[in-house]
Amino acid sequence: MSTGPLLKVEGLRVAYGHIEAVKGIDFELHEGRITTLVGANGAGKSTTLLALSGLVAKAAGRVVLDGQDLTALSPHRIVASGMVQVAEGRATLTTLTVRENLELGAYTRRDGRAQRAEDLERIYTLFPRLKERADGLAGNLSGGEQQMLAIGRALMAKPRVLLLDEPSMGLAPIIVQDIFRTLREINKAGLTIFLVEQNVRQALKIADSAYVIETGRIVLSGSGHELLGNPKVQDAYLGG
Ligand SMILES: Nc1ncnc2c1ncn2[C@@H]1O[C@H](COP(=O)(O)OP(=O)(O)O)[C@@H](O)[C@H]1O
Ligand SMILES: [Mg+2]
């Protein structure tokens, strides 16, 4: 039995005024895998994610999730259809408690309170630190904890595809390892992950599939392992 990709992106273009930030890219996500899009600052990574989430307009292209065309849907409908982007680490709502932040993540769901309570417990198991701090303000969490909260909040939406924009940004290496280990764990439990990263080495290490983007174009693709061993990748992104 062969199955197609869970998410298929074809010919995606995004422009800010006259500047074309994403110049017609194609990529696929396969169910149960971690796929990464790596590249330098300004390459077009965040723009790609914003376009998937419906937060910037697509100048061209198609986004299809498991046969459903998401290209023209609103951000809210995209989340409801199962594609959920983790908010940037520090964008958690700092004047709400940790628990309130997590509950907000479930806003598009139509299932019952009991189901949501069960998912909340699962997230506390994944991130024990969040359980300890459940009634504290999110604003008092460390940077790493806020990133965990942002991931937990996205998981409360019950995604089929989780999108992350540089979860390693601004965090100490040991915390980054912790976050990436948790992403692996979430993935092992079955979740499809699309990880956008400037931390090329760490991202390629945990990714099953990978794409390299340079000035709005995908220039290389392969397994994470293949790209880690690719001389061009090593020269450009891994310090030779
Ligand atoms: N809101 C914006 N208005 C104009 N140009 C933008 C905007 N956001 C990003 N850009 C430009 O688009 C290109 C891609 O940016 P971005 O997607 O943020 O890259 P990355 O996430 O890979 O660092 C860059 O040249 C950047 O300067
Ligand atoms: Mg970015």
Side-chain angles (χ1 to χ4, degrees):
M1 192 182 87
S2 86
T3 53
L6 178 61
L7 184 85
K8 200 166 170 57
V9 176
E10 288 176 326
L12 179 65
R13 290 178 184 271
V14 181
Y16 298 107
H18 298 300
I19 298 167
E20 197 169 44
V22 172
K23 300 171 180 164
I25 63 173
D26 304 296
F27 61 93
E28 299 176 347
L29 308 186
H30 288 266
E31 186 146 35
R33 293 197 201 159
I34 298 181
T35 302
T36 190
L37 177 69
V38 295
N41 189 30
K45 304 182 299 297
S46 295
T47 300
T48 300
L49 279 195
L50 289 169
L52 292 186
S53 295
L55 296 167
V56 296
K58 302 166 197 70
R62 244 160 63 90
V63 177
V64 179
L65 176 66
D66 198 15
Q68 186 191 2
D69 193 331
L70 307 186
T71 311
L73 295 190
S74 67
H76 178 90
R77 298 279 300 277
I78 290 171
V79 170
S81 78
M83 193 154 65
V84 180
Q85 182 167 352
V86 173
E88 308 251 334
R90 324 264 160 169
T92 48
L93 302 173
T94 54
T95 59
L96 297 180
T97 68
V98 167
R99 188 197 314 281
E100 287 164 343
N101 265 282
L102 290 172
E103 283 166 351
L104 269 181
Y107 81 104
T108 57
R109 289 171 57 175
R110 306 209 180 285
D111 50 5
R113 187 177 288 272
Q115 187 59 49
R116 290 203 293 271
E118 196 175 294
D119 289 337
L120 191 60
E121 280 312 313
R122 192 172 312 136
I123 284 157
Y124 286 151
T125 306
L126 205 53
F127 302 110
R129 193 82 186 115
L130 295 184
K131 183 166 191 168
E132 287 165 29
R133 313 290 300 263
D135 297 313
L137 291 183
N140 293 337
L141 297 179
S142 71
E145 289 164 352
Q146 286 196 12
Q147 184 61 65
M148 289 170 189
L149 177 57
I151 294 170
R153 193 169 62 175
L155 293 177
M156 283 299 286
K158 274 229 178 274
R160 300 187 64 194
V161 180
L162 187 70
L163 310 177
L164 297 106
D165 192 355
E166 300 204 39
S168 76
M169 179 139 49
L171 300 178
I174 190 159
I175 309 289
V176 172
Q177 292 205 350
D178 214 32
I179 300 264
F180 279 31
R181 200 180 309 122
T182 308
L183 289 179
R184 253 292 180 223
E185 219 177 294
I186 297 166
N187 166 253
K188 288 273 184 275
L191 186 61
T192 306
I193 292 179
F194 187 47
L195 170 68
V196 156
E197 263 296 344
Q198 227 183 118
N199 188 333
V200 176
R201 186 186 304 277
Q202 293 293 337
L204 291 180
K205 271 189 186 166
I206 70 159
D208 302 299
S209 311
Y211 296 88
V212 178
I213 184 169
E214 284 177 6
T215 55
R217 289 197 172 85
I218 287 174
V219 294
L220 282 170
S221 65
S223 71
H225 185 76
E226 277 164 8
L227 292 193
L228 265 179
N230 181 307
K232 282 188 211 152
V233 174
Q234 291 179 344
D235 279 351
Y237 301 101
L238 304 175

